[in-house]
Amino acid sequence: MISALPVPARDVALLIVRIVLGVILIAHGAQKFFSYGIGGTAAPFAQMGIPLPTVSAVVAAVIELVGGALLIVGLATAVAGLLVVLDMLGAALFVHATHGIFAADEGWELVGAIGAAALALAAVGPGRFSIDHAVGARRPTAVTR
């Protein structure tokens, strides 16, 4: 039985996950900034009962836009992934949880899938094809006794 992909295939899989997830996040962050504007995002946030709707709109837009870009290049992957998880958890709890599973019914499936993918990246790392790996490979290792 195969319990995990070989390392080269795993690194390619992680790269694909990072790119797809990052593109989705960038699209949603850009939508909040440029299509709706922060005011246009904050207004429905207020109607949905999200605390500090303008601040929440800015925070969500930044996490999605910048976090998505960081995930694509594999930089600060654990931090970006965990921030995305918190962003998606907030979206699920404040908006989507009461609507069931399906995104077509405003359910939590999309934010759940995004959050789970971001959590997996935070847990296992970005793989070899990332800035995190390149920077980590150049760091001197600690001397142990």
Side-chain angles (χ1 to χ4, degrees), residues 48 91-92 95-111:
M48 292 182 274
V95 181
H96 301 286
T98 60
H99 297 282
I101 294 175
F102 299 108
D105 299 327
E106 297 186 29
W108 58 266
E109 75 176 320
L110 178 62
V111 297

XYZ file of all heavy atoms in Angstrom, residues 48 91-92 95-111:
149
model
N -24.722 41.109 7.495
C -24.577 39.729 7.946
C -24.158 39.642 9.411
O -24.005 38.552 9.953
C -23.555 38.985 7.073
C -24.027 38.772 5.650
S -22.833 37.854 4.646
C -21.761 39.163 4.060
N -15.617 33.314 7.895
C -16.644 33.297 6.850
C -17.641 32.169 7.100
O -18.859 32.349 6.953
C -15.994 33.145 5.478
N -17.130 31.007 7.488
C -18.015 29.864 7.749
C -18.935 30.149 8.928
O -20.149 29.933 8.835
C -17.190 28.602 7.999
N -21.273 33.508 8.214
C -22.095 33.586 7.008
C -22.630 32.233 6.550
O -23.828 32.072 6.340
C -21.304 34.242 5.849
C -22.154 34.353 4.596
C -20.769 35.603 6.264
N -21.771 31.270 6.372
C -22.127 30.089 5.590
C -22.661 28.895 6.383
O -23.380 28.062 5.820
C -20.912 29.646 4.760
C -20.437 30.704 3.834
N -21.104 31.042 2.680
C -19.364 31.539 3.897
C -20.462 32.019 2.063
N -19.398 32.340 2.774
N -22.346 28.773 7.654
C -22.687 27.563 8.416
C -24.186 27.300 8.478
O -24.613 26.152 8.459
C -22.103 27.641 9.820
N -24.977 28.329 8.523
C -26.432 28.146 8.652
C -27.117 27.825 7.330
O -28.316 27.574 7.307
C -27.082 29.403 9.261
O -26.817 30.522 8.411
C -26.545 29.667 10.664
N -26.356 27.822 6.240
C -26.937 27.596 4.912
C -26.666 26.188 4.388
O -26.883 25.928 3.204
C -26.403 28.629 3.915
C -26.770 30.032 4.260
N -28.021 30.557 4.028
C -26.048 31.027 4.854
C -28.063 31.812 4.453
N -26.876 32.116 4.957
N -26.163 25.303 5.224
C -25.878 23.949 4.767
C -24.513 23.857 4.112
O -23.654 24.717 4.276
N -24.333 22.801 3.340
C -23.023 22.533 2.747
C -22.818 23.239 1.413
O -21.786 23.855 1.179
C -22.818 21.012 2.565
C -22.749 20.336 3.926
C -21.544 20.724 1.772
C -22.665 18.827 3.861
N -23.773 23.174 0.528
C -23.549 23.545 -0.872
C -23.373 25.047 -1.093
O -24.177 25.858 -0.640
C -24.690 23.010 -1.745
C -24.778 21.512 -1.701
C -25.814 20.886 -1.031
C -23.791 20.726 -2.290
C -25.884 19.506 -0.963
C -23.845 19.349 -2.222
C -24.900 18.733 -1.564
N -22.316 25.384 -1.837
C -22.015 26.785 -2.133
C -23.148 27.439 -2.918
O -23.409 28.630 -2.751
C -20.705 26.898 -2.901
N -23.832 26.691 -3.754
C -24.950 27.240 -4.530
C -26.058 27.761 -3.614
O -26.819 28.654 -4.001
C -25.509 26.190 -5.484
N -26.129 27.219 -2.404
C -27.113 27.668 -1.407
C -26.470 28.579 -0.367
O -27.014 28.758 0.721
C -27.733 26.447 -0.707
C -28.466 25.535 -1.666
O -29.054 26.046 -2.649
O -28.438 24.309 -1.441
N -25.292 29.130 -0.678
C -24.489 29.953 0.225
C -23.936 29.148 1.398
O -23.632 29.695 2.448
C -25.266 31.178 0.705
C -25.644 32.118 -0.422
C -26.290 33.395 0.065
O -25.985 33.841 1.192
O -27.089 33.956 -0.694
N -23.789 27.844 1.205
C -23.250 26.974 2.237
C -21.744 27.085 2.362
O -21.091 27.886 1.699
N -21.188 26.222 3.206
C -19.787 26.356 3.612
C -18.801 25.548 2.787
O -17.613 25.535 3.103
C -19.649 26.002 5.086
C -20.117 24.618 5.434
C -21.361 24.277 5.890
C -19.376 23.405 5.350
N -21.431 22.923 6.092
C -20.217 22.348 5.774
C -18.077 23.083 4.956
C -19.810 21.027 5.810
C -17.667 21.754 4.994
C -18.523 20.745 5.422
N -19.220 24.876 1.723
C -18.294 23.980 1.027
C -17.058 24.684 0.470
O -15.950 24.162 0.584
C -18.993 23.173 -0.067
C -19.321 23.924 -1.322
C -19.929 23.013 -2.393
O -19.477 21.874 -2.564
O -20.858 23.473 -3.063
N -17.200 25.849 -0.127
C -16.039 26.543 -0.699
C -15.090 27.019 0.394
O -13.885 26.763 0.322
C -16.461 27.718 -1.580
C -15.299 28.522 -2.173
C -14.437 27.644 -3.083
C -15.813 29.732 -2.936
N -15.627 27.696 1.411
C -14.736 28.177 2.475
C -14.141 26.999 3.247
O -13.010 27.076 3.728
C -15.416 29.196 3.420
C -15.806 30.454 2.656
C -16.604 28.619 4.149
